[in-house]
Amino acid sequence: MTSSTSILRRHFMLGAATSTLGLPAMAQNKDKVSLLYLPVTDYAPFFVAKEKGYFDDFNINVELLPKDATAETVPMVAGGLVTAGGASWSAGVFNAAAAGSGVVVVADLARVPTKGRSSVHFMLSPAMAQAGTTVSSLKGKRVGVLGAGAFTEYFAAQVLKAGGLGLPDVQVIHLTVPTFGQAFANGAIDAGVVFEPFATMFEQKNIAKLLPGDYARGTEVGFILVNADFLKAKQDVVVRMLAGYLRAVRHLQDGGWEDAATQALMLKYMKIDASVLNRIGLPTIDRSGAIDLTSVQAQEAFFRQAGKLSYRKPLDWAALYPGEVAAKAAALLDKR
């Protein structure tokens, strides 16, 4: 049985149980939303909103369901198997949107921070770092990324551009999160794009070293999407869910990341040590949930030029991303 099948089986079993357990009237009357997540900091606002009761405050019962990879999100949300989820921008996402996948983008999930320690890193093997490797000397080297056509390819291209190189100048190696550390350790890759908290963990264990420099600052990384039919029928539910999410975003940005009690709530989902959480680079999330379309369109153009898009004309962003949904959520939150 695949992990996705396990998630769905658990989801529907819980749904059936809920209808027969005689829950209190208040719990039964809450609108239910199921949401896929990864156990990383990008999804921290959902963990906080769930545990602190921010969703409850807007009469929403959000069921958080773990997933193995961001690529699972679009097909599962599009098929109505779950209500919503988070995903990273990629060629696959753009192609699915162009084909009318049945999902709608509703809010920002993560951006590369504009200052401080980054949440996405370009790392070198210890041997390459000791040799004083620079971006321009990466020509012909093996560079690891998370999947073909993924955001990490775009990020790697931005790094290489700083040294006058492009992806065709290196050997691109497609990896998964569980195999990344092993690839560095056994010499299968010389460099690679690594998200937090894994970058900090690799540093602590001397598996890989950061390549100095600031790259792709402010770039959109991820977004929240919902089933199109669900949004059309129950936009108010999505708005209230996002209001709870944005409350958690603001709590984190206003000191919650450093608050020990809030950290404990996040660590229930992330399964990392608190010392790692206190060192990692944190993603930026717009306080009103708005997405920087200029950044996303630049990624779309990059993948088109790389020959990885199945369509020619730019996407109809007004249809794919109705910005008023997040705007309504922010307005609702501001009234509280």
Side-chain angles (χ1 to χ4, degrees):
M1 179 182 293
T2 66
S3 59
S4 296
T5 303
S6 298
I7 290 171
L8 295 177
R9 182 178 179 183
R10 172 176 173 267
H11 174 55
F12 290 119
M13 287 178 66
L14 286 174
T18 299
S19 65
T20 59
L21 287 178
L23 295 176
M26 183 177 295
Q28 289 181 343
N29 291 334
K30 287 181 182 176
D31 292 296
K32 186 174 181 180
V33 173
S34 54
L35 186 139
L36 292 174
Y37 75 90
L38 288 172
V40 296
T41 49
D42 288 1
Y43 293 81
F46 288 108
F47 311 151
V48 172
K50 177 74 172 181
E51 297 297 324
K52 283 186 171 289
Y54 294 166
F55 291 132
D56 295 327
D57 290 344
F58 291 96
N59 203 37
I60 301 292
N61 176 20
V62 175
E63 181 183 12
L64 297 179
L65 301 170
K67 59 181 177 178
D68 289 332
T70 190
E72 297 178 9
T73 308
V74 172
M76 291 180 70
V77 174
L81 301 175
V82 292
T83 313
S88 300
W89 297 107
S90 67
V93 165
F94 294 133
N95 285 329
S101 61
V103 299
V104 179
V105 176
V106 293
D108 190 25
L109 180 67
R111 299 178 186 177
V112 181
T114 56
K115 58 183 179 181
R117 183 177 172 92
S118 182
S119 58
V120 189
H121 302 275
F122 196 87
M123 305 193 78
L124 301 172
S125 68
M128 294 290 287
Q130 187 174 4
T133 299
T134 62
V135 176
S136 58
S137 61
L138 286 171
K139 187 171 184 178
K141 302 301 182 182
R142 296 160 297 178
V143 176
V145 298
L146 292 174
F151 171 81
T152 49
E153 276 195 4
Y154 176 78
F155 188 89
Q158 304 314 300
V159 175
L160 293 170
K161 184 178 179 180
L165 302 176
L167 290 179
D169 297 311
V170 299
Q171 301 178 53
V172 177
I173 309 296
H174 299 122
L175 300 168
T176 61
V177 171
T179 61
F180 229 106
Q182 182 181 359
F184 268 123
N186 64 22
I189 57 174
D190 303 300
V193 179
V194 184
F195 285 95
E196 293 284 20
F198 306 105
T200 294
M201 295 167 67
F202 288 176
E203 278 189 301
Q204 287 183 332
K205 297 178 181 179
N206 198 35
I207 292 175
K209 301 290 185 180
L210 297 186
L211 175 70
D214 285 333
Y215 306 103
R217 291 290 191 169
T219 300
E220 287 281 1
V221 179
F223 59 94
I224 301 169
L225 69 159
V226 299
N227 178 273
D229 291 336
F230 186 92
L231 179 64
K232 183 177 180 180
K234 299 183 178 182
Q235 185 181 114
D236 69 302
V237 175
V238 177
V239 168
R240 285 185 281 122
M241 182 268 288
L242 289 179
Y245 163 78
L246 290 176
R247 184 179 176 189
V249 167
R250 297 178 186 186
H251 169 72
L252 288 169
Q253 293 180 355
D254 293 338
W257 285 113
E258 294 78 31
D259 176 65
T262 302
Q263 287 184 350
L265 300 179
M266 293 186 284
L267 293 174
K268 289 173 59 177
Y269 295 84
M270 295 171 59
K271 308 300 183 184
I272 61 173
D273 189 85
S275 64
V276 175
L277 181 59
N278 286 323
R279 290 188 55 197
I280 64 177
L282 301 171
T284 297
I285 305 171
D286 186 85
R287 291 174 70 89
S288 295
I291 289 174
D292 179 1
L293 278 184
T294 300
S295 173
V296 179
Q297 289 168 332
Q299 296 180 56
E300 182 189 14
F302 166 80
F303 286 118
R304 177 177 290 105
Q305 186 175 8
K308 296 191 175 182
L309 299 186
S310 58
Y311 60 98
R312 295 185 178 182
K313 295 182 179 180
L315 289 171
D316 179 3
W317 286 101
L320 178 62
Y321 168 55
E324 69 269 14
V325 179
K328 288 179 180 179
L332 177 61
L333 178 59
D334 290 340
K335 291 179 182 178
R336 292 287 177 119

